[in-house]
Amino acid sequence: MKKIVLSLVLLLSVTLVSAQKTEYTTVSNIHYYNEATANSDAYIKERCVLDIYYPKNTKGFTTVIWFHGGGLTSGSKELPEGLKDKGFCVVSVNYRLSPKVKAQKCIEDAAAAVAWTFKNITTYGGDDSLIMVSGHSAGAYLSLMVGLDKKWLKADGIDANSIAGLIPLSAQTITHFEIRKERGIPETQPIVDEFAPLYHIRADAPPLLLITGDREKEMLGRYEENAYMMRMMKIAGHKQTTLYELQGFGHNMTEPAFPLVVQEIKRITALKTK
């Protein structure tokens, strides 16, 4: 009898461990523009795609949309190791690149990808009230533009305030240097206009976690831009702006930043699912 009970206990333990292990699946190269738009231009068809990596047989999961870096001129969609197997979905996005298109098109593509996620994530089991937006460098700039300047998502019928959280890593908060380059302006001359996240500071924006590398190792005053962003958001009345500076790390600081990103995703998820 004792052997039978012990066997049942062991079987139950193995079953519980197996049940606790979440399996993930990936669907690749989904067009986030409608079919007519995707077929209207070869470059849109090539670049305007995303991958979705999500927990199988799970309902109500959180999603983070990830935009790659590369100065708006290079790079491709990626699934960062630091965001894998963490209980949430990752949507990895490609977007068109300058100089093939004006940098403004990068923002339009980013907004279209975010809008696609809001309209489709429930199909995969996700919760559309738990969508966060993140990225590194140029990708972080895109996440801020889409999350702060409400006009980009409004074009697709989405309120930017529906984003659960913004987590940009080493973002440019002044007007992006590629946009300044298009205008013949040196990258060392800062400008704040409609293409600067700083221009769109507002008290009612989603929770904002800014992460940069060490101010002495970052590129072109990137820490100081983010520090000013934090200060002005707080002055404007925003209640959930935080800035982390990763001492000893330069611009390519994603690896040590990812635990902070995951922590913030889980913090926001816990608050919204109380």
Side-chain angles (χ1 to χ4, degrees), residues 41-55:
D41 182 282
Y43 193 45
I44 291 177
K45 193 165 188 177
E46 174 196 347
R47 285 291 304 185
C48 296
V49 294
L50 57 79
D51 298 344
I52 176 170
Y53 166 88
Y54 65 99

Side-chain angles (χ1 to χ4, degrees), residues 2 22 51 69 91 100 108 137 158 167 174 216 227 238-239:
K2 288 182 179 179
T22 303
D51 298 344
V91 174
K100 276 198 169 184
E108 291 177 11
S137 194
I158 304 293
I167 314 173
I174 61 176
E216 298 301 332
H238 193 259
K239 303 299 184 185

Side-chain angles (χ1 to χ4, degrees), residues 179-245:
I179 294 175
R180 282 178 277 149
K181 182 180 177 182
E182 291 174 354
R183 302 172 184 172
I185 298 169
E187 64 180 12
T188 52
Q189 181 177 332
I191 288 177
V192 174
D193 64 11
E194 63 177 316
F195 290 104
L198 272 166
Y199 190 81
H200 303 285
I201 281 169
R202 51 192 180 84
D204 64 335
L208 174 60
L209 173 59
L210 302 158
I211 307 176
T212 77
D214 190 317
R215 70 189 74 185
E216 298 301 332
K217 295 179 178 292
E218 266 283 9
M219 62 185 298
L220 293 171
R222 194 60 56 90
Y223 165 78
E224 286 79 6
E225 288 182 45
N226 280 261
Y228 188 53
M229 180 95 188
M230 176 197 68
R231 182 58 54 205
M232 296 309 294
M233 286 289 282
K234 290 188 173 184
I235 289 172
H238 193 259
K239 303 299 184 185
Q240 293 192 70
T241 297
T242 303
L243 170 63
Y244 291 143
E245 176 188 7

Side-chain angles (χ1 to χ4, degrees), residues 34 42 66 68 98 101 127 134 138 177 187 209-210 231 236 242 265:
N34 61 43
W66 177 259
H68 68 81
S98 174
V101 296
D127 185 337
S134 186
F177 60 71
E187 64 180 12
L209 173 59
L210 302 158
R231 182 58 54 205
T242 303
I265 291 167

Side-chain angles (χ1 to χ4, degrees), residues 3-272:
K3 287 183 178 180
I4 294 173
V5 172
L6 181 59
S7 297
L8 287 172
V9 169
L10 289 172
L11 179 61
L12 182 60
S13 298
V14 171
T15 301
L16 286 172
V17 169
S18 298
Q20 289 169 354
K21 183 173 176 58
T22 303
E23 292 185 8
Y24 295 80
T25 190
T26 302
V27 182
S28 301
N29 295 321
I30 302 169
H31 290 278
Y32 51 81
Y33 282 113
N34 61 43
E35 187 176 357
T37 302
N39 289 331
S40 69
D41 182 282
Y43 193 45
I44 291 177
K45 193 165 188 177
E46 174 196 347
R47 285 291 304 185
C48 296
V49 294
L50 57 79
D51 298 344
I52 176 170
Y53 166 88
Y54 65 99
K56 292 165 61 176
N57 304 318
T58 303
K59 297 296 181 185
F61 54 72
T62 296
T63 298
V64 59
I65 301 170
W66 177 259
F67 292 109
H68 68 81
L72 301 180
T73 63
S74 64
S76 291
K77 55 185 168 64
E78 58 189 3
L79 174 58
E81 285 295 323
L83 299 181
K84 290 176 66 175
D85 303 333
K86 298 296 189 295
F88 50 78
C89 166
V90 183
V91 174
S92 305
V93 183
N94 261 1
Y95 47 89
R96 287 172 288 175
L97 300 170
S98 174
K100 276 198 169 184
V101 296
K102 292 292 187 182
Q104 177 176 335
K105 293 296 182 183
C106 304
I107 307 173
E108 291 177 11
D109 291 350
V114 172
W116 181 94
T117 305
F118 271 100
K119 294 173 181 177
N120 291 277
I121 199 63
T122 56
T123 303
Y124 297 88
D127 185 337
D128 60 8
S129 71
L130 292 172
I131 295 173
M132 304 180 210
V133 186
S134 186
H136 174 242
S137 194
Y141 167 79
L142 294 176
S143 70
L144 282 177
M145 286 301 297
V146 170
L148 294 178
D149 184 356
K150 300 184 78 171
K151 77 176 184 184
W152 300 105
L153 281 174
K154 188 177 180 181
D156 284 300
I158 304 293
D159 183 350
N161 284 3
S162 299
I163 296 171
L166 298 170
I167 314 173
L169 279 57
S170 197
Q172 189 140 48
T173 69
I174 61 176
T175 299
H176 196 277
F177 60 71
E178 185 63 18
I179 294 175
R180 282 178 277 149
K181 182 180 177 182
E182 291 174 354
R183 302 172 184 172
I185 298 169
E187 64 180 12
T188 52
Q189 181 177 332
I191 288 177
V192 174
D193 64 11
E194 63 177 316
F195 290 104
L198 272 166
Y199 190 81
H200 303 285
I201 281 169
R202 51 192 180 84
D204 64 335
L208 174 60
L209 173 59
L210 302 158
I211 307 176
T212 77
D214 190 317
R215 70 189 74 185
E216 298 301 332
K217 295 179 178 292
E218 266 283 9
M219 62 185 298
L220 293 171
R222 194 60 56 90
Y223 165 78
E224 286 79 6
E225 288 182 45
N226 280 261
Y228 188 53
M229 180 95 188
M230 176 197 68
R231 182 58 54 205
M232 296 309 294
M233 286 289 282
K234 290 188 173 184
I235 289 172
H238 193 259
K239 303 299 184 185
Q240 293 192 70
T241 297
T242 303
L243 170 63
Y244 291 143
E245 176 188 7
L246 301 183
Q247 296 288 336
F249 294 92
H251 185 62
N252 295 318
M253 35 56 82
T254 54
E255 186 175 345
F258 282 133
L260 298 172
V261 174
V262 172
Q263 177 181 288
E264 178 70 353
I265 291 167
K266 292 182 176 181
R267 182 191 74 84
I268 293 172
T269 298
L271 285 174
K272 291 182 75 71

